[in-house]
Amino acid sequence: MRYSRLFIPTMRETPSGINAISHILMFKAGYVRQLAAGLFIFLPLGWRVLNKINTILKEEMEKIGAQEISMPILHPAEIWQQTGRWYTIKEEMFRLKDRMGRDMCLGMTHEEIMTWIASKEIKSYRQLPQIWYQIQTKLRDEARPRGGVLRTREFIMKDSYSFDADWDGLAENYKLHAEAYHRIFNRCGLKYHQVESDPGVMGDLESHEFMAPTPAGEDEIVLCDKCGYTANIEVAKANPPTLLPTNLEYKNIFTPDQKTVKDVSKFIGIDESYFIKTLLVISEKYGPVLIMLRGDQELNEKKLARIIGDFYFATAEEVEQFLNVETGFIGPVDHKIKKLADLSIQKDVAYISGGNKKDYHTQGIIPGVHFDAQWVDMRKVKEKDSCPKCGSSLRIEKAIEIGNIFKLGTKYSEPLKAYFLDKDGKEKPIIMGSYGIGPARVAAAAIEQNNDKDGIIWPKSISPFDIEIIPLNMADQKTVNIAEELYEKINEIYNSFADRHMEVLIDDRDERPGVKFKDADLIGIPIQVIIGEKNLKENKVEIKKRRTKESRTVTVNKAIIEIVNSYYETY
């Protein structure tokens, strides 16, 4: 490909209002342009990267026996109504009516549609197992699109689905997908972790996410470097520092206008860890629920939602209505509603909490003596908490989610009546799994992990081109002739014999050397072949590795083999 014919609108200035490195560099290097909030146009270089990633996805999916199909983006509402997600997914789903007034939606995911076709076509255990996949556009009405292509309203997703006759089959397909994902992300040159995750709206069974560490990540993952424990912070477990038993007398203490744990702790001179935060939430499923956390801990709202369903924090008026107390002075004693206490609250420690009376707190509250509750894990894990497996100190990293795998079980097959007859002629629901990868997220994560002050440094497997030839003076005929000769030879000879098709970009623009160098570093192609008059006086050209900036000069007659060797030495 010739640079003069390729649309690469590079920019020198950093666009205002964007912070993620991947977002900045995709704009500056001419990979994407933004149409509207959460809507991106992939320009030629960006689309080449996505196609490289999609090729890797297809190859690894086919290795595990997956078959590619294509599903519609426009879905009839009744299929989503059968599973109930038409009613539970509210803001994120794009909804519309067709000209007949029929309710429709734009597909944000395809579990329902995949299950629908399985319900029509799979009738016998002899047809199982099956793995179907697609690389398809999805649409979600994101409330706050951000991070460039990381969180958008329209995006491409590789989603695959397994269909099995039993749970052992699901376990095998889950394992196959996990192994395939490791190969995919390794081939894409990413650093990543497979972590335990929250199934969310997908299902209630086992799930894992694949997370690429980067400061621009919108998720947090919890890691133990000693035993390898990894989990999304939404589901991570850990042991907080234990407290020494206390001998506080059980009594009310006067705390005028001191409402928060921090304020009361400072007022009476006792550490926040010896307090119980008592909060009222309103659950759609259970109504008012009293929740209790240790004073130095934070609520993990995702964990709590998995226990009591959707909820919101009670207003001051609702606190008065249900507890007959003012906000800021709620305590765990005496209330007759459902109570949840976090596991970090020890049963051998006397705590301080609200006194259920304005301007008063109660000290000496002993869990199990002065109040009973259902004990659950609902706290947010903190840096340096103890690992639940080995007791070592945990650390927390920001990361980008690049893929996920879910055990769906019969969550979709039962409501959509995707049944089959087993060996004994009995009707059973198909056991399903769902597995997704976002190609644009892979590209963004690769940029986040591979860049410097000059631009992108692509892993060679997903770079838009493998080699960039840079003739510095297009007015010098010898420079042009050598550049064209190398360009043609790499295309003709090594495309025939190499184990991988090598794609070459030649910068044939009539631009100053400085412009060419800046653009080459910005777009990030792994190998640069620089042809200048100074080196040509000695019949030499320069080969430079974008990642390490290592360069060497070689004679023209050895240039081809040295270029290819440099490419294969490159990460």
Side-chain angles (χ1 to χ4, degrees), residues 261-309:
V261 167
K262 184 176 182 180
D263 290 341
V264 181
S265 169
K266 186 176 179 181
F267 183 76
I268 65 176
I270 296 178
D271 189 80
E272 294 179 21
S273 58
Y274 287 94
F275 281 73
I276 294 176
K277 293 180 192 173
T278 311
L279 306 169
L280 182 68
V281 300
I282 309 300
S283 161
E284 288 187 8
K285 185 175 182 180
Y286 296 104
V289 179
L290 205 61
I291 63 171
M292 287 153 277
L293 291 157
R294 209 169 82 178
D296 60 338
Q297 304 300 313
E298 293 180 44
L299 176 66
N300 184 320
E301 295 184 25
K302 292 278 189 178
K303 286 184 178 179
L304 181 58
R306 285 182 59 78
I307 298 166
I308 64 171

Side-chain angles (χ1 to χ4, degrees), residues 2 119 166 191 457 492:
R2 297 180 180 277
S119 73
D166 52 39
K191 301 181 185 77
I457 306 172
E492 292 176 8

Side-chain angles (χ1 to χ4, degrees), residues 1 3 6 8 31 45 48-49 52 455-460 462-470 503-507 519-529 544-547 567 570-571:
M1 181 65 72
Y3 206 123
L6 192 59
I8 312 177
Y31 282 79
L45 285 185
R48 290 180 73 92
V49 171
K52 293 283 185 74
I456 301 168
I457 306 172
W458 284 113
K460 67 180 182 181
I462 60 175
S463 174
F465 293 93
D466 302 309
I467 297 162
E468 182 174 4
I469 297 174
I470 309 172
E503 297 176 305
V504 189
L505 174 66
I506 183 169
D507 191 346
D519 284 341
D521 284 344
L522 184 58
I523 65 178
I525 294 169
I527 299 295
Q528 300 171 4
V529 181
K544 182 179 178 181
K545 294 180 179 179
R546 173 67 184 91
R547 181 173 297 277
Y567 172 76
T570 301
Y571 165 63

Side-chain angles (χ1 to χ4, degrees), residues 122-125 128 164-167 410 413-414 417-431:
I122 296 176
K123 300 301 179 185
S124 168
Y125 73 93
L128 297 171
D164 285 284
D166 52 39
W167 293 95
T410 61
S413 55
E414 287 188 331
K417 296 180 171 49
Y419 295 102
F420 70 98
L421 296 180
D422 69 7
K423 292 179 180 179
D424 300 320
K426 294 181 179 178
E427 192 175 66
K428 291 183 178 179
I430 297 172
I431 311 296

